[in-house]
Amino acid sequence: MTADRKPIRVIAHRGASEDAPEHSLAAYRKAIEDGADGLECDVRLTADGHLVCVHDRRVNRTSNGRGAVSAMELAQLAELDFGSWKAPADRAETPDSADPERTTVLTLERLLRLVADAGRPVDLAIETKHPTRWAGQVEERLVRLLDHHPLPGEVRIMSFSARSLRRVHLAAPGVPTVFLMQFLLPRHRSGRLPPGNGIAGPGIRILRRDPEYVARAHRAGHEVHVWTVDDEPDVELCAQLGVDAVITNRPRTVRDQLARLG
Ligand code: G3P
Ligand code: CA
């Protein structure tokens, strides 16, 4: 890190999800304890209009249930176990499998309250997942919920869907947005982003192939938030390139490495 560069922010991907079940309250508490600068979560809308933190379209991988989140009501999701599939990071330690903070579906509203009570400003990077049968209702609910829960840290909305981010710009022009990219399309190679987006969100593979992308995005006036940065060589690459934030499943380990790299 050079003298004029801000420290790289460490954002916990689905919470400290190496240590606790992804998107569980326990994973987010751990990330805050581990000193993460921010938390990342994915949101989906239930059939009865609640935003819940679930990555996949279906609940099959991360719970003991089956079916699409968008077709289930919150009460149905609340009956499922979203934690027992995850083995503890330290196998000597037996987690209390009945611990609701590891196993209960997490609503975005509950996560907002956790962040509000963190005792320090913690950023929140909320990703809208598309396609979904609820399309624009996701952004409508999200913006309304954020209006009711002002937080001391920065709240950003992220998406691979430019259309989702356009809806956010219309509904809440002041909310910063991150345009996520799995591949670098020719029209984005120059570092430019779809209008209205201030932050580029490339996957780490983009930077491994094209490290100069960071400088181009910076020249175009955009911050660069990279996902998912878990391994030492990738953290080192991000530090060398001067990215603005790394999104990682292992916030403590990555913070420690960045501190060593100075
Ligand atoms: O932080 C962005 C990253 O989470 C996007 O990929 O599949 O983990 O949601 P995914
Ligand atoms: Ca995500």
Side-chain angles (χ1 to χ4, degrees), residues 23 44 50 111 117 126 141 165 239 247-248:
H23 288 121
R44 293 184 174 274
H50 295 272
L111 180 58
D117 294 342
I126 304 169
R141 300 268 172 162
L165 296 176
I247 300 172
T248 177

Side-chain angles (χ1 to χ4, degrees), residues 13-14 23 40-42 55 127 129 158 160 180:
H13 184 243
R14 311 180 196 174
H23 288 121
E40 187 263 5
C41 68
D42 303 300
H55 177 273
E127 180 183 347
K129 283 298 191 194
M158 314 194 290
F160 290 100
L180 295 172

Side-chain angles (χ1 to χ4, degrees), residues 13 28 56 65 72 80 98 108 110 112-113 140 148-149 171 176-177 196 206 208 210 214 222 236-237 242 250-251 254:
H13 184 243
Y28 288 107
D56 301 1
M72 298 169 88
L80 302 179
L108 180 61
R110 181 68 190 91
L112 292 171
R113 281 191 270 122
E140 197 185 303
H148 285 96
H149 293 268
T177 56
I206 291 178
R208 288 191 206 127
D210 182 4
V214 176
H222 302 305
E236 202 171 325
L237 176 67
R250 335 162 66 182
V254 169

Side-chain angles (χ1 to χ4, degrees), residues 18-19 87-95:
E18 189 174 77
D19 298 330
D90 175 358
R91 283 173 184 277
E93 182 193 323
T94 318

